[in-house]
Amino acid sequence: MEQKPRWLNILDTLTAILFVVSVFLVFFYAPMERTMGAVQKVFYFHVATAWVGMLGFLVAAVVGVFYLIKGERKYDIMGLAAIEISLIFFFIAIIMGSIWARPIWNTWWTWDPRLTTATIVELIYAAYMMLRQGIDDPDRRARFGAVYAVLGFVSVPLTFISIRMLRTIHPVVVGNSDPGAEGSFSMTGPMKTAFFFSLFTFSVLFVDLFWHRVRMGKLAAKVEELRLKITA
Amino acid sequence: MNNFRNFLRALTAVVRKDLTAEWRSRELFTAMLVFALLVILIFNFALELDARARTSVTSGVLWVTFAFAGTLGLNRSMATEKDRGCLDGLLLAPVDRSAIYFGKAIGNLVFMFVVELVVLPVYSVLYNINLFRPELLLIILLGSIGYVAVGTLLSTMAVQARTRDILLPILLFPLVVPVLIAAVRASGGILQDFAWEEIQAWVNLLVVYDVIFIAIAFMFFDYVVEE
């Protein structure tokens, strides 16, 4: 049994510290938004979790390609780890978005392009998990998983464009916003600091969780191997 | 050049095999067609398809019907290969694997298109609306190509899983959302006599989707059938 790497311990601590600082920045350093009030604070974490979600899906697609080219088991473990983490984070992003949308849009949910795309993305990766569960042979599971991770990631922009062509009310805070967007605002200096710090924190959190999950995946693979050895 | 001719020969052989088998049993076609008609019947009750609702809802009803009937066909056409070990036989043949993919895909596309060509006049008669327009046929062709390109690849994966029959729609539907949206919008626009310029964007999207996913399926099919 291999020891938990020292760097991972350090990263755990660092993540915890960053998280505390980030929460402090969001609640005490960034000013209160004038029209939306306290509920706007959700934005700092909402965007950060959604970012981690997309980051993980991207990682999964990239390691999926690596797996198909090289066929090494570690890429499969990484792909699964990234998708598992991102599935949860993306779901949290959707929930937090709903909490914000209730007072601002006066509804928990609307079929706006981003919201709809987010739902479809969740369904794609839920299908990914079901695909993996349905296959017993580890090699085949890894191959199919890699193919589906790439297919899913490629389809997301097309889905987004197609729904965008219908219409949007979701605010775009970074970059230009549509004039029709509701609940838009422009960030002041301290808000920007808190926002980008939060993005950074969540990225580190992702790396930390990813590392843990990959370690766990490797141990699980070892267990599976040992079990096969015993039964064979 | 010789390579290409071999590729074409392998491809047409696969298509011909599928069509001949289907011609003799007519299993797939009958099942898809009857199922499609049943879906339309259910929509009739569920949506109260009166004259006013029809113009706006028709394209949605049509595409849901095609999508559902399509999964039925895709599943079946791959399951017959798998069950009797035909897929292994095909893979043993000394031809390019992508010829097998394109052969299966074209076979599936033909089945789907034939079903669509029967559903359209039936729907036209039942609801007194003219669906035989060349633009609409073009949209249906483009939409079906995208659907089948992804569907053939995914059904090859699904039949190799334990949960095969329930897996295909779950894998396929989230990925073909762009096709369905674009196809529904474009067909709806045509049925409501919009100018071509208003539909153009959706047609472009369909073409882009088709090209991208045919290319990806072409690259990945090897990995999906590998033993």
Side-chain angles (χ1 to χ4, degrees):
Chain A
M1 174 70 199
E2 117 196 51
Q3 280 282 274
K4 185 176 172 189
R6 200 159 133 254
W7 282 107
L8 186 54
N9 275 326
I10 295 170
L11 189 65
D12 284 349
T13 326
L14 181 72
T15 313
I17 294 169
L18 281 175
F19 215 93
V20 173
V21 175
S22 176
V23 168
F24 174 81
L25 283 180
V26 166
F27 284 100
F28 301 104
Y29 178 68
M32 196 66 91
E33 212 274 326
R34 205 180 301 147
T35 44
M36 286 188 270
V39 73
Q40 181 265 341
K41 300 284 186 202
V42 119
F43 154 82
Y44 300 104
F45 299 122
H46 167 69
V47 178
T49 44
W51 150 252
V52 167
M54 283 322 282
L55 182 70
F57 297 140
L58 172 68
V59 168
V62 172
V63 295
V65 172
F66 280 151
Y67 179 81
L68 292 178
I69 295 170
K70 300 203 172 138
E72 288 170 29
R73 190 69 185 277
K74 66 174 182 198
Y75 293 118
D76 177 50
I77 293 169
M78 285 160 83
L80 177 63
I83 284 179
E84 249 185 45
I85 296 168
S86 289
L87 203 57
I88 301 293
F89 270 81
F90 221 61
F91 189 68
I92 296 173
I94 292 175
I95 299 288
M96 286 203 282
S98 267
I99 293 171
W100 174 85
R102 178 71 193 137
I104 305 300
W105 289 344
N106 203 19
T107 170
W108 294 109
W109 187 261
T110 155
W111 292 102
D112 153 273
R114 269 158 227 257
L115 279 70
T116 316
T117 311
T119 319
I120 295 168
V121 167
E122 285 283 303
L123 288 172
I124 291 176
Y125 291 102
Y128 171 91
M129 304 303 285
M130 291 184 66
L131 173 67
R132 294 188 68 107
Q133 269 165 19
I135 303 169
D136 298 322
D137 175 34
D139 276 339
R140 182 178 290 166
R141 184 168 57 211
R143 256 186 292 123
F144 287 11
V147 169
Y148 198 72
V150 176
L151 277 178
F153 194 76
V154 172
S155 83
V156 171
L158 286 169
T159 305
F160 182 73
I161 292 168
S162 64
I163 305 171
R164 178 122 208 195
M165 278 157 74
L166 291 172
R167 219 184 105 79
T168 183
I169 64 164
H170 192 291
V172 181
V173 178
V174 183
N176 288 327
S177 180
D178 271 334
E182 284 172 40
S184 194
F185 61 98
S186 48
M187 283 192 282
T188 63
M191 276 178 166
K192 272 189 187 140
T193 314
F195 171 65
F196 285 111
F197 196 82
S198 164
L199 272 190
F200 175 68
T201 304
F202 273 81
S203 308
V204 175
L205 177 65
F206 173 75
V207 174
D208 188 49
L209 288 174
F210 184 64
W211 193 339
H212 276 287
R213 185 62 187 79
V214 168
R215 269 192 83 226
M216 195 181 111
K218 281 186 179 153
L219 291 174
K222 207 178 275 174
V223 170
E224 198 171 5
E225 218 170 83
L226 290 174
R227 195 189 295 147
L228 279 176
K229 215 174 266 175
I230 292 168
T231 49
Chain B
M1 204 57 221
N2 215 4
N3 267 344
F4 185 67
R5 199 175 305 146
N6 282 341
F7 179 86
L8 273 187
R9 266 204 7 233
L11 190 153
T12 41
V14 175
V15 176
R16 205 167 60 214
K17 166 193 81 68
D18 272 8
L19 294 184
T20 315
E22 180 53 31
W23 182 250
R24 295 196 180 142
S25 66
R26 295 190 192 84
E27 253 174 16
L28 204 66
F29 173 73
T30 340
M32 281 169 81
L33 184 66
V34 173
F35 181 76
L37 296 176
L38 282 172
V39 173
I40 289 177
L41 190 78
I42 290 169
F43 268 121
N44 178 45
F45 301 130
L47 293 180
E48 296 286 344
L49 288 173
D50 55 60
R52 204 149 43 87
R54 254 175 263 152
T55 46
S56 53
V57 176
T58 296
S59 65
V61 171
L62 280 178
W63 279 101
V64 171
T65 310
F66 295 158
F68 285 176
T71 38
L72 214 63
L74 287 170
N75 236 337
R76 190 77 206 126
S77 109
M78 226 43 202
T80 49
E81 299 284 358
K82 189 72 189 162
D83 285 344
R84 293 164 207 168
C86 303
L87 191 60
D88 298 329
L90 275 179
L91 294 176
L92 281 175
V95 296
D96 199 284
R97 294 270 165 90
S98 53
I100 298 171
Y101 166 75
F102 283 115
K104 288 303 287 181
I106 290 172
N108 288 332
L109 186 64
V110 170
F111 297 150
M112 211 168 150
F113 212 56
V114 170
V115 170
E116 288 162 348
L117 284 181
V118 178
V119 166
L120 284 183
V122 172
Y123 195 97
S124 303
V125 170
L126 287 181
Y127 295 106
N128 194 20
I129 180 174
N130 181 20
L131 293 179
F132 264 94
R133 307 191 187 189
E135 304 100 314
L136 188 65
L137 289 180
L138 174 72
I139 302 294
I140 289 179
L141 181 65
L142 286 177
S144 306
I145 289 175
Y147 186 86
V148 164
V150 186
T152 307
L153 181 69
L154 291 180
S155 69
T156 317
M157 281 162 52
V159 290
Q160 298 181 59
R162 220 175 336 105
T163 43
R164 46 155 77 174
D165 288 328
I166 51 166
L167 201 53
L168 179 65
I170 292 172
L171 292 178
L172 178 58
F173 287 153
L175 292 189
V176 293
V177 166
V179 172
L180 292 181
I181 293 178
V184 167
R185 286 281 139 173
S187 345
I190 289 166
L191 291 177
Q192 290 169 36
D193 291 319
F194 286 178
W196 181 254
E197 289 76 50
E198 287 178 62
I199 304 161
Q200 184 74 48
W202 296 111
V203 180
N204 292 348
L205 188 67
L206 278 176
V207 173
V208 169
Y209 186 97
D210 289 359
V211 171
I212 291 178
F213 277 89
I214 288 173
I216 291 185
F218 170 68
M219 289 190 291
F220 284 171
F221 188 71
D222 251 9
Y223 298 109
V224 167
V225 290
E226 195 176 283
E227 279 304 320

